[in-house]
Each structure stands twice: as structure tokens, then as C-alpha cells.
Amino acid sequence: MSHYLSLMVTSKKDSRPAIVWFRRDLRLTDQAALGAAVASGAPVLPVFVLDDGKAGAWKAGGAARWWLHHSLTQLHAVLRHHGTGLVLRRGDSAEVILALAKEVDACAIHTGILPEPWERAADDAVAKHLKGTDCAFHRHPTVLLHDPDTITTQAGKPFGVFTPFANAFLRGVPIGTPVPAPKRIKGADLPASEDISDWALRPTITWDAQFADAWVPGEAGAAATLDRFLDEAVNGYDVGRNAVSKAGSSSLSPFLHWGEISPTQVWAATLHTDHPHTAGPVAYRRELIWREFAAHVLWHHPTVPEEPLRPEFKAFRWRRDPRALKAWQRGQTGVPIVDAGMRQLWSIGWMHNRVRMITASYLVKHLLVPWEDGQAWFWETLVDADLGNNSVNWQWVAGCGADAAPFFRIFNPVLQGTKFDPDGDYVRRWVPELTKLDTRFIHEPWAAPNTALAAAGIILGKTYPKPMIDLAEGRARALAALRDTGGKRADQLV
């Protein structure tokens, strides 16, 4: 081929756009799919597809859709600043991406690797269709630190227990250096885009009124949240993460879920603190590894959102109790730490992780309501609702999943509240009916003498609910149900 002809071919190829298919990686920094497209020299065409069909019951819930609206709005603005914009389309994601590639005569499609079953199915459909064509399909690591197919047990199987997984992860996963955002993006001519306002992602009933006070979705909000965590909380994270009334957690979970910050960025940031290998940063990095573990489990067990990993729990005698479920959802169980958590969730789309465990344990053990019902409510109301984390953590609490806590380990919400909210500040913030109650009784108002209740303006059963069930009775009932599960004894289910 002559030099002149080579230049002509290169020029023609470079004029064809490279599509960057954004999904849960809504950022420019350390975004491998975007970086590869920019490095190719082709004009870049960023696109996001809203596909509610393939996800079925697991399409983004109400709180997550609020977040997505604002995150996409921010991403479009940042892309505009860098020389391009964001094309929005709706429909079957594989079909939409393939149609768009044909529409613009794309030379390549770059996207991230996601663990959700429907995302993997879409990838397979796109790859199959493009095989043998002159449009390449490239998948990049954008949301996880590890490739779920590369970490296995010595027997070559996926991990089902966290500690061995964490050890293998620390031994075998090289974590690179975060890549800066491109200074400028050579943008392609943008085809027609839908208007995000037509997607109606924000709720029509303004139950999200407090969300904007609590969160700033987008890459800039993620960076600011990480900076606050590094400045104020990471060094004491190992202890502070359990103090439910304090700002001891990172609050990065929704930003990580939507990919407004990469796990590589967060991991690297904890290594650049003054004391990166002390208990706080080490404990936080272990939480990042748990996130990888949840994705690992989902990758290898795609039915984990619907089915218990431990088959004996298919016979467990759950109680379908709409009344109990509704009281739990509304924070009206009569157990203060549980009600505080559920009201925090409804108010800001997020709940402290320690309280997530307490509220979940109360639902599935004291009330014997199926874990799937709790999982579905969290999916609808959490801004950080993540299929891997949500399903694996609910099964962990219910004792039926990977590395699960045995079912007979039942949290006592009074003891948990006393230990992790000793002054009752968390309860008083989210359950104002109890504001004036003496701290001695803040986590068990039913134990307060009538004089203490009267002084606080509380009438149990009227101004604040009586407990739905006696805690000792609920525990005994849960253990009885466990003994009846498939004829298994408690010690056989550990």
C-alpha cells in the first residue's frame, strides 16, 4: 500500500466515530472505556441507554432513578465542557446500541464490564452481532477492581466465603494507578438525543424532598465526598463506622454504584493518607473487597437476587405478613433503632450500614418476613441500590447465602442501639416522638415507667407504637422456624 493510500485509509477510519456506551460508570476520570476511545484517535460519541425491559423487576428503583437523573445531567455538562455531549436513547440496550452504531457508521463501541445478568446478556448480543464486521466491540474494567473469572479457589471454583476470597484478592489482584480525565475529547457529530425530562426519572410525589440536602450526585460530588472522608473519618474508620449518629462512614456507596468515582480511585486515595496501613484505612479497603465479593457472587450465581444460595432455606417457613412489612417500611415497629433506620432510609435514600443490618435482622428474624420483601424495599428506596450488594447482604442477614451469618445469630435491637447509639442521638433525630425520653429508655420505651413516658409526652400505642412483638418471643419463634426447616438442626446450618 502506498504511503498516500495509507493516509487516506487512516483518515477515513479516524473520521468514523467510536461510541462510548456509558452505563454504571458515569465519570471521566479513570474511565477505561472513554480513555480507550479517546486514545484511538477517533471522534468520540458518548451515549447512555435507559433500558427498563431487560432488568425486569430489577430496573432502577425510585431513589436510584432520582440519582440517575442528576448524575446524567452532570455527566452531560462535564462532557460539554470537554468538547462533546451525551446522547440519550431508550429501549432494548443491545438493539439501541447496534442501531446507533449503524446510524453513525461507528468504527468501535467501548463499554464497561458489569456483573448484572441482563448487562452481560446485552454485551453478548452486541458482540455476537458485530462479529465479523468492521465495528469492533471492546469491554473494559470500569466498575470493579477484579475480573470475576480470574479469582478462583484452589479447585478452580468461585468463592463462597469472604475471608478466603479477600486473601486471594490481596494476593492476586494488581490495582493500578487511577488515570486522569482526558483534557479534551474530540467529539463526533452528535445524533438526535432524547430529553432527560421526558424520562420522568424523578418521583411525581415529592418524597425525595430531603435528597438534595443530603447528596450532590455526579463526579464532582463524589470527589468532594471522598475528600471529606479522607480528612475527617478514614483514620478512625475501624471504630467510627459503627457509631450510627456520627459521620464515620464514607457515604461513597451511591457514587461507587453509579461509577461517578472508580474503586481504583478510592483504593488509591486510602493509600495516600498519612497512615495508610493502620486499622482505619485497612478496614475501609476491606469494605471495598466485600463489594468485589458481592459482585463475584452475583457473577457466578446470577439467580442470587431471587433464590437462596443454601437450598435448605427454600423450605424455610417465612410469614407473609403485609401488615408487619408495611409497619417496618414506615418505621412504625415500636422498636426505636429499627424505626429510626427505616425513616432515615425514606428521608434521604440511604441508611447507615450498621442500622441496615439491625433493621434487616429484625424483619427476617423477629418478624419472620421473607428476606426478598426486605430486599425489594431497599431496592426501591436506596440511592445506592446495587444488585450484588443488596442481594448478597440480605442473604447474609437471612443466613441463606454466601458467607452468611447463621440464622440463629439474632441481633437484639435494644442491645445494638445501646451499643452503637448510646446517647440516643440517632433515634432522636429520626424518631422525634421520642426526643424528650430519658436516655435510659430511649431504645426500649416500653420499659420506661409511666412517669418517664408522661414527662416525655409519650403515650405508647398512640403517639408512638407499642412493639409489634416481644423481642424474646420473636427470637424464640425464629429459632423454632429454623428447627423446622427441612428437618435441619441449628448446628447443622452453621
Side-chain angles (χ1 to χ4, degrees), residues 39-72:
S40 73
V44 174
L45 175 55
V47 61
F48 180 88
V49 181
L50 181 66
D51 183 354
D52 285 336
K54 276 196 173 72
W58 303 115
K59 72 178 184 180
R65 292 169 89 84
W66 174 91
W67 192 286
L68 179 61
H69 172 93
H70 293 285
S71 187
L72 291 175

Side-chain angles (χ1 to χ4, degrees), residues 255-305:
F255 300 102
L256 282 165
H257 170 73
W258 289 110
E260 296 159 337
I261 194 167
S262 76
T264 304
Q265 288 175 272
V266 180
W267 186 282
T270 69
L271 289 173
H272 287 86
T273 61
D274 292 337
H275 306 285
H277 301 295
T278 55
V282 169
Y284 187 72
R285 288 193 292 274
R286 196 166 179 84
E287 293 298 315
L288 292 176
I289 299 174
W290 178 270
R291 179 176 180 270
E292 299 288 316
F293 176 66
H296 180 89
V297 172
L298 176 62
W299 184 276
H300 293 287
H301 302 280
T303 61
V304 71

